[in-house]
């Protein structure tokens, strides 16, 4: 009874005054306009399961020739950066993976999010990730693992899909299933955007925070 939960706010501050079109964003990231693009964005760390994502992508991509993967963010160590680079180089679908292990400046975030159809969070462990809110701000569905508070932040089947962690086959199946229907991805993206405004708006969070102090 002494605990009151106030959610993390949205990341609308990353949306520029003049957002790029999806065509412009894909040109910037060297993605085909027809692609269905899955994105992993943020600091590259081992607990984020990027190795599992690359393996799952390789399985799914064999059954969907339009599926592409973008992995972007600064790597924690040079060894980790090379480890994923080697895994991608040895993949049978390396030509459909865009690997950018580098710091992403704020002004470039919109290109990555706008270009994507699915935001992937195949984490092995987490408490909370702001990437969920980033995805929602841009109206993008999320494919995540059942760790941390993802069950609370993601409405399974509505704003995204949740699978068990460290199961490459299940992750690959869900990635493939999601990638096969652009209309379903658009519907989930709209659900994500609708969640973003009332539930994660800073105005609502301010009201809830004031209410805590008044109580």
């Amino acid at each position: 009874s002494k605990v009151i939960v106030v959610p993390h706010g949205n990341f609308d501050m990353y949306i520029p005054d003049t957002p790029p079109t999806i065509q412009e964003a894909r040109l910037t990231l060297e993605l085909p306009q027809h692609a269905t693009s899955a994105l992993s964005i943020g600091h590259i760390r081992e607990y984020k399961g990027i190795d599992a994502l690359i393996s799952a992508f390789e399985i799914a991509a064999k059954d969907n020739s339009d599926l592409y993967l973008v992995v972007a963010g600064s790597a924690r160590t040079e060894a980790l950066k090379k480890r994923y680079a080697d895994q991608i180089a040895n993949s049978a679908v390396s030509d459909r993976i865009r690997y950018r292990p580098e710091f992403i400046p704020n002004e470039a975030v919109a290109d990555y999010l706008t270009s994507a159809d699915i935001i992937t969070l195949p984490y092995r462990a987490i408490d909370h990730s702001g990437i969920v809110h980033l995805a929602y701000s841009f109206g993008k569905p999320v494919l995540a693992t059942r760790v941390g508070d993802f069950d609370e932040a993601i409405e399974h089947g509505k704003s995204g899909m949740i699978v068990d962690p460290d199961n490459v086959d299940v992750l690959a199946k869900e990635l493939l299933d999601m990638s096969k229907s652009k209309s379903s991805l658009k519907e989930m993206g709209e659900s994500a955007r609708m969640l973003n405004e009332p539930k994660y708006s800073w105005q609502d969070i301010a009201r809830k925070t004031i209410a805590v102090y008044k109580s």
Side-chain angles (χ1 to χ4, degrees):
S1 63
K2 293 182 180 181
V3 176
I4 300 172
V5 177
V6 179
H8 189 295
N10 64 41
F11 277 173
D12 287 4
M13 72 284 287
Y14 285 101
I15 302 173
D17 293 336
T18 306
T21 65
I22 189 169
Q23 292 82 8
E24 291 168 340
R26 291 191 167 183
L27 279 173
T28 298
L29 298 181
E30 300 177 331
L31 287 168
Q33 296 297 332
H34 63 79
T36 299
S37 177
L39 171 67
S40 170
I41 189 169
H43 296 298
I44 295 173
R45 303 290 186 268
E46 288 182 272
Y47 72 84
K48 293 188 174 182
I50 293 171
D51 53 339
L53 175 62
I54 295 168
S55 296
F57 174 77
E58 184 169 10
I59 296 169
K62 289 176 181 176
D63 288 325
N64 184 349
S65 59
D66 288 333
L67 186 59
Y68 282 70
L69 174 64
V70 177
V71 177
S74 59
R76 184 175 65 86
T77 65
E78 284 298 314
L80 191 62
K81 177 180 175 179
K82 184 178 184 301
R83 174 181 159 191
Y84 294 144
D86 290 344
Q87 183 182 1
I88 291 167
N90 291 325
S91 168
V93 289
S94 59
D95 60 316
R96 283 192 270 153
I97 301 175
R98 306 291 182 263
Y99 184 47
R100 302 199 173 188
E102 59 202 23
F103 173 75
I104 303 169
N106 288 352
E107 59 270 19
V109 169
D111 283 324
Y112 283 95
L113 270 293
T114 301
S115 73
D117 295 292
I118 305 165
I119 310 304
T120 60
L121 297 164
Y123 294 3
R124 295 188 170 97
I126 193 68
D127 293 320
H128 179 79
S129 174
I131 302 298
V132 173
H133 303 291
L134 188 61
Y136 286 3
S137 287
F138 282 85
K140 303 295 180 176
V142 178
L143 172 57
T145 44
R146 191 170 282 103
V147 295
D149 72 344
F150 286 165
D151 267 328
E152 298 175 48
I154 300 164
E155 294 188 1
H156 182 71
K158 293 182 179 180
S159 64
M161 304 299 290
I162 304 176
V163 299
D164 290 331
D166 255 342
N167 190 324
V168 169
D169 290 334
V170 171
L171 183 62
K173 182 182 183 305
E174 197 58 67
L175 180 59
L176 179 61
D177 288 348
M178 290 179 74
S179 72
K180 282 184 174 179
S181 176
K182 287 251 186 180
S183 60
S184 292
L185 289 175
K186 186 175 181 181
E187 287 176 13
M188 283 195 285
E190 286 304 313
S191 294
R193 197 188 304 275
M194 288 174 66
L195 268 178
N196 183 61
E197 186 49 43
K199 187 174 181 180
Y200 299 113
S201 73
W202 288 105
Q203 291 84 356
D204 190 52
I205 288 166
R207 284 191 289 270
K208 288 177 179 176
T209 304
I210 290 168
V212 173
Y213 282 93
K214 286 185 175 180
S215 69

